[in-house]
Amino acid sequence: MRNAWSGHTFPHPAGRRRWMKDASSMDPDRPVQYILEHHRHLGPIFEIVVFGQKFVFVTDAELAAELNDESRFAKANSPALDGLRGIAGDGLFTAYNEEPNWQLAHDLLVPAFTKQAMQRYHPVMAETLDELFTVWDAGTGRVDASADMTRLTLETIGRTGFSQAFGSFTTTELHPFVEGMVTALTIGRRKGVIGALPAAKLLERRLDRQHAEQLDYVNRFLDDIVVARRRAPTSGGDDLLGIMLDQAHPETGARLSDENIRYQILTFLVAGHETTSGALSFALYYLVRHPEALAKVQAETDAILGPDPDATPSYEQVARFRYIRKVLDEALRLWPTAPGYARTPRETTTLGGRWTMTPGDWALVFLPLVQRDPAVWGETADAFDPDRPRPPRLASTAKPFGTGERACIGRQFAVHEATMALARILHRYDVTGDPAYELRIDERLTLMPQGMELTLSRRTPGLSAPGGAAPGGMPRPRSRPPGHRAVPKPSY
Ligand code: MNH
């Protein structure tokens, strides 16, 4: 058995079978939601065993706080992460702690997320958002929120990090890279599940063969990004790609190999957009359901951005959207779009004063429950309330960006991008949802609301009432505010 915990058995779902173990007590297509629906009561620590692999889940804040202690524990690669090694190799996210390329890439890329770097990305983020608005203004006013947030965030990380556009706003088609990437991720997830089976290697090779064409396309696409930059090295010299291609480690002089750079590009394109897109979508989901919160958001945008719906915040202004930041934090508390991370002890230790944990054993900090622990968040833990007081106890267990030295490197990037996007969207539009919509969540590696249609109408900042409808297009403000642009033809 993998992850054996010295043979200890934790509480587990009822109906465990001799051979199949807990296979019928999980849903491989929606594992997180299945746990929330059926296994919540098994906490604060429980196990699910499938295919010779034990998964241990920690669901309360007290145990999570212990696992977050960097002096005793470190990141572990869960089977889900290891399943991605085929495409992401020793890239930052999937590298093992002791692999030299982790420290090397970390040291080289931390400067790509400093304040100065973020100031360089800011205008690109703002411009990308403007392109989304151009499309929205020309459209019907009905949008698929998650699809459009995904367009926005993919385009943003592609352009800021790699000077690579994906044409997300000029065509309805998904860029073939996106499809290839999703296939690669799906294969990775399946590999993660079958990893402990005797026939795993065979099954893995078959999966790769079945999807060889798409996987080849993804690799060629990534290599082309590198080739194009080497040919024209002047564009974006200090973005992620420029740093990876040009810079040597200041102390050791070491450089990233071409293979590792390919892994990093894929890692950043994937890690840098799905989670942020999900966070934006969940925030919008809650805002259309909480008119009082939405009104506060809009009041804040009006106070900071003023009456011009085209006003773009400066870099410094983004940090002033304090209430929007709370909305984002609260959405990520309830639906952490990266729903967990795994921790392993540095030396043999006892977890919770009871369970022996040996190096190699690991537990998942299962964020959707840890961040709703009533012991920390009270009886209203499941409710959306951006104004809830920061709990005095164990507040640091709300960690949607992970913990320790392997925590998210893109946190500031994500928060800056998402805060500005929410501010500008809600400053510019009145947004309503379908009251009948019930939250459906798509689970890939990340959590993402699915099929959530929103209706947008142009808004006159300063007034909270929606603007009047204009015939044949989406509703527009009655008076054209200064700086309002001509509306181009729909492009998708
Ligand atoms: Mn991100 C690691 C969540 C946005 C790039 N990210 C992590 C981890 C979590 C996480 C959790 C730790 C995983 C683990 O311990 O196994 N990340 C998020 C969330 C958002 C997010 C919830 C948005 C919201 N992440 C981003 C963005 C980028 C990015 C944006 C890039 C621009 N994240 C990474 C990388 C890592 C990471 C790279 C791996 C860091 C490391 O191990 O050194």
Side-chain angles (χ1 to χ4, degrees), residues 75 92-93 102 157 268 271-272 275-276 341 400-402 406 408-409:
K75 164 164 170 154
L92 268 185
F93 214 117
W102 179 77
I157 184 64
F268 276 94
T275 42
T276 312
Y341 50 87
F401 292 96
R406 299 296 303 269
C408 183
I409 200 174

Side-chain angles (χ1 to χ4, degrees), residues 22-231:
D22 304 319
S24 61
S25 301
M26 60 167 268
D27 181 344
D29 292 328
R30 44 195 302 284
V32 170
Q33 290 165 92
Y34 196 88
I35 288 172
L36 287 173
E37 287 154 16
H38 300 281
H39 302 326
R40 207 171 173 158
H41 64 281
L42 291 173
I45 183 165
F46 66 89
E47 66 176 39
I48 291 179
V49 177
V50 274
F51 300 138
Q53 168 78 62
K54 191 205 284 273
F55 294 80
V56 175
F57 296 85
V58 159
T59 61
D60 87 338
E62 195 95 44
L63 289 176
E66 210 180 321
L67 290 169
N68 287 341
D69 178 351
E70 279 278 286
S71 68
R72 292 173 59 206
F73 296 91
K75 164 164 170 154
N77 281 35
S78 65
L81 272 195
D82 273 347
L84 295 176
R85 296 263 310 182
I87 50 166
D90 56 357
L92 268 185
F93 214 117
T94 41
Y96 302 117
N97 296 323
E98 60 285 356
E99 272 177 317
N101 273 342
W102 179 77
Q103 191 75 56
L104 175 57
H106 176 80
D107 291 352
L108 286 175
L109 291 174
V110 162
F113 293 96
T114 56
K115 186 176 170 197
Q116 291 93 307
M118 293 304 307
Q119 281 167 326
R120 291 197 304 271
Y121 305 145
H122 176 83
V124 183
M125 289 181 176
E127 193 183 286
T128 310
L129 200 46
D130 269 329
E131 289 181 34
L132 174 65
F133 295 157
T134 302
V135 172
W136 277 356
D137 287 352
T140 60
R142 294 165 84 86
V143 303
D144 178 327
S146 304
D148 280 354
M149 292 303 101
T150 302
R151 286 188 163 88
L152 175 69
T153 54
L154 176 66
E155 209 57 46
T156 302
I157 184 64
R159 294 180 191 188
T160 52
F162 306 96
S163 308
Q164 173 68 47
F166 287 92
S168 302
F169 305 122
T170 47
T171 148
T172 42
E173 316 269 296
L174 275 182
H175 192 285
F177 173 74
V178 177
E179 210 180 300
M181 186 184 69
V182 169
T183 304
L185 289 177
T186 310
I187 294 175
R189 198 180 61 187
R190 294 213 198 122
K191 283 184 183 174
V193 177
I194 61 181
L197 286 177
K201 284 279 161 297
L202 222 88
L203 291 170
E204 286 178 9
R205 274 202 296 276
R206 201 168 73 196
L207 275 173
D208 284 341
R209 250 197 333 271
Q210 278 167 353
H211 301 281
E213 213 173 297
Q214 275 192 322
L215 294 178
D216 282 350
Y217 173 82
V218 167
N219 281 334
R220 256 183 293 124
F221 179 83
L222 298 172
D223 288 337
D224 285 350
I225 293 182
V226 173
V227 170
R229 175 65 65 89
R230 287 218 163 103
R231 212 179 285 139

